[in-house]
Amino acid sequence: MTTLSKGVMRHRKVVKDAALAFAKMVPVAGPHVLAAEQFFKVLSEINAQLCRDRFDRYIMGIGEICEDEVEISREHFSALIKKLVLDDEDKKTEYYTRLTVSLARSCLSDDEKLFFIHILSELTCFDIEYVHKLYIMTKSPIKGFTSAAAAQLDLTSKKNGLNLRSLNKLITSGLIYEADVTHPENSRIFNFTEELQSLLKYIFHKDDFSPSILGLDSKKYYDVVILEGDEFYDAFCRTSIWKKLEARGLSVRIAKNEGAMSEIVASFYVNTRTGERMDGEPYGTIETFSHIDSKSFTYTQIEHWQNFDPKSIISNEDGSFDSTELFQAIDDICAYILRRLTVST
């Protein structure tokens, strides 16, 4: 086993010699004829210096991350070094550094560790930046998009070569896969594999998954969003629920149109509607969802609901209502939301 710690910086001369040896392994384009020997020598010297610099940053980076000693097998350390030296992009050095420490601290099998080493070497910086952005836009509530699918589509629908190449590479590498549903415009929607989520965790910091990293704004969060409806009792329900929940310290917002969904997000959404039973009799209902986004392509299920007879509601001259069933439905919905939010916290 190879021990990685800040002490590794004391062995920089050995590292530099190893870097030079690896540099000589890097293939140089062009026929190896006498006329090209001098050119090859110059390129070798350049390669050697680049490898030394890259190795210095790699080793010092490990020392900065590792406050304690961690161990990694010689096989995996050798694989990481080879990939690092032979990689076309110097900018990926930091990713190799973080992956080295992450794998050393992990409980992954040998095959799993080699999988992540090979995957990192196959991805370009653009690929990594692309999937990093794709992950954030899909997993975070981004202001300006009504759903995660809409945000994802904004990126995956770009038809330039770099984006298409990265998207296809992520698919063939087994990092993302097409979901069973499609966007209304017949565009594909993608899910992330566990391996991709692990890889991102290994090579990025926790703070790197905030939308602000991409210059994007997050939606404003509320505990509850009450969706405005058209039923004659809707305004009374909205006002009653809003007052009861705010009195208990929750943040509540009334959304007046679908456009609001691109600006706000909540733990619970409340909706009122009128339906019709099989016998033709109407019924009123107040229902709550933990997600109410028809464009997200996850099944939107009613979590809790309370029915009442709309014909039992008596309208008073002052605009108020008399209905034991309606009042009970409002109390029940509020109690359910308060109970769920209390449990979740």
Side-chain angles (χ1 to χ4, degrees):
M1 299 292 286
T2 299
T3 299
L4 304 178
S5 70
K6 288 188 176 180
V8 78
M9 294 170 63
R10 295 194 298 268
H11 307 292
R12 288 174 62 180
K13 183 179 184 303
V14 176
V15 171
K16 287 181 179 180
D17 291 341
L20 177 58
F22 277 115
K24 293 179 179 179
M25 296 168 55
V26 179
V28 178
H32 292 178
V33 294
L34 293 177
E37 284 186 356
Q38 186 61 34
F39 181 61
F40 176 78
K41 181 180 179 180
V42 172
L43 286 180
S44 295
E45 291 174 355
I46 294 174
N47 267 331
Q49 185 59 49
L50 288 174
C51 288
R52 289 192 187 99
D53 294 342
R54 186 179 297 184
F55 248 86
D56 280 348
R57 285 186 285 112
Y58 173 71
I59 295 300
M60 287 190 291
I62 292 174
E64 290 173 359
I65 297 174
C66 289
E67 296 181 357
D68 55 341
E69 291 189 348
V70 292
E71 292 186 341
I72 189 168
S73 70
R74 292 180 181 274
E75 177 187 12
H76 297 135
F77 192 55
S78 175
L80 282 159
I81 292 173
K82 290 177 182 177
K83 297 296 185 184
L84 171 73
V85 173
L86 297 175
D87 202 295
D88 292 332
E89 296 183 285
D90 190 61
K91 292 189 298 182
K92 284 173 61 179
T93 301
E94 187 174 357
Y95 295 138
Y96 281 105
T97 300
R98 295 179 189 174
L99 182 64
T100 300
V101 177
S102 295
L103 294 183
R105 290 174 172 170
S106 74
C107 297
L108 298 174
S109 68
D110 289 346
D111 288 339
E112 288 172 327
K113 290 180 180 179
L114 287 174
F115 169 82
F116 286 111
I117 294 170
H118 291 307
I119 285 296
L120 178 60
S121 71
E122 292 171 1
L123 299 177
T124 66
C125 283
F126 186 88
D127 296 333
I128 295 170
E129 292 166 3
Y130 181 89
V131 74
H132 180 218
K133 184 175 183 179
L134 183 64
Y135 186 84
I136 292 175
M137 295 186 72
T138 304
K139 294 293 185 178
S140 301
I142 305 297
K143 188 176 181 180
F145 299 100
T146 56
S147 67
Q152 185 187 103
L153 185 61
D154 184 69
L155 181 60
T156 58
S157 63
K158 298 183 185 303
K159 302 304 181 184
N160 61 66
L162 282 172
N163 284 280
L164 290 173
R165 186 175 184 276
S166 290
L167 184 62
N168 289 326
K169 185 185 291 186
L170 294 170
I171 295 172
T172 57
S173 297
L175 298 177
I176 65 174
Y177 61 95
E178 193 170 347
D180 293 333
V181 293
T182 58
H183 190 271
E185 298 174 359
N186 294 324
S187 296
R188 297 180 296 174
I189 302 298
F190 297 95
N191 290 331
F192 305 103
T193 63
E194 291 184 7
E195 288 78 9
L196 172 65
Q197 297 181 70
S198 295
L199 177 64
L200 292 176
K201 180 182 68 175
Y202 293 154
I203 64 175
F204 285 103
H205 298 300
K206 290 181 179 179
D207 296 338
D208 292 334
F209 295 100
S210 169
S212 60
I213 293 292
L214 305 177
L216 301 171
D217 295 323
S218 299
K219 293 180 181 180
K220 186 172 182 180
Y221 172 80
Y222 291 89
D223 292 312
V224 180
V225 167
I226 304 173
L227 303 172
E228 189 173 275
D230 298 323
E231 289 76 16
F232 70 93
Y233 53 80
D234 181 71
F236 177 78
C237 287
R238 289 200 312 269
T239 302
S240 300
I241 295 172
W242 176 44
K243 289 181 178 179
K244 287 178 178 291
L245 295 180
E246 281 208 330
R248 296 295 298 273
L250 299 186
S251 57
V252 184
R253 164 77 179 266
I254 295 176
K256 297 183 178 181
N257 53 61
E258 292 183 0
M261 295 299 102
S262 66
E263 304 292 325
I264 59 179
V265 67
S267 293
F268 285 96
Y269 299 84
V270 177
N271 184 52
T272 60
R273 64 181 176 86
T274 299
E276 189 175 281
R277 297 186 177 90
M278 294 184 66
D279 59 6
E281 289 296 313
Y283 69 90
T285 185
I286 306 174
E287 52 198 18
T288 182
F289 308 82
S290 60
H291 190 78
I292 183 168
D293 191 345
S294 61
K295 295 181 181 178
S296 68
F297 304 103
T298 55
Y299 291 104
T300 301
Q301 297 181 346
I302 301 173
E303 291 204 351
H304 189 73
W305 69 94
Q306 192 68 27
N307 294 339
F308 55 89
D309 184 358
K311 294 187 297 183
S312 70
I313 301 175
I314 300 174
S315 180
N316 299 318
E317 293 182 359
D318 61 358
S320 62
F321 293 113
D322 285 330
S323 173
T324 301
E325 287 189 18
L326 176 60
F327 297 158
Q328 184 59 50
I330 292 172
D331 289 342
D332 181 80
I333 288 295
C334 290
Y336 173 80
I337 292 173
L338 288 165
R339 184 168 62 252
R340 285 290 307 276
L341 287 177
T342 301
V343 170
S344 63
T345 55

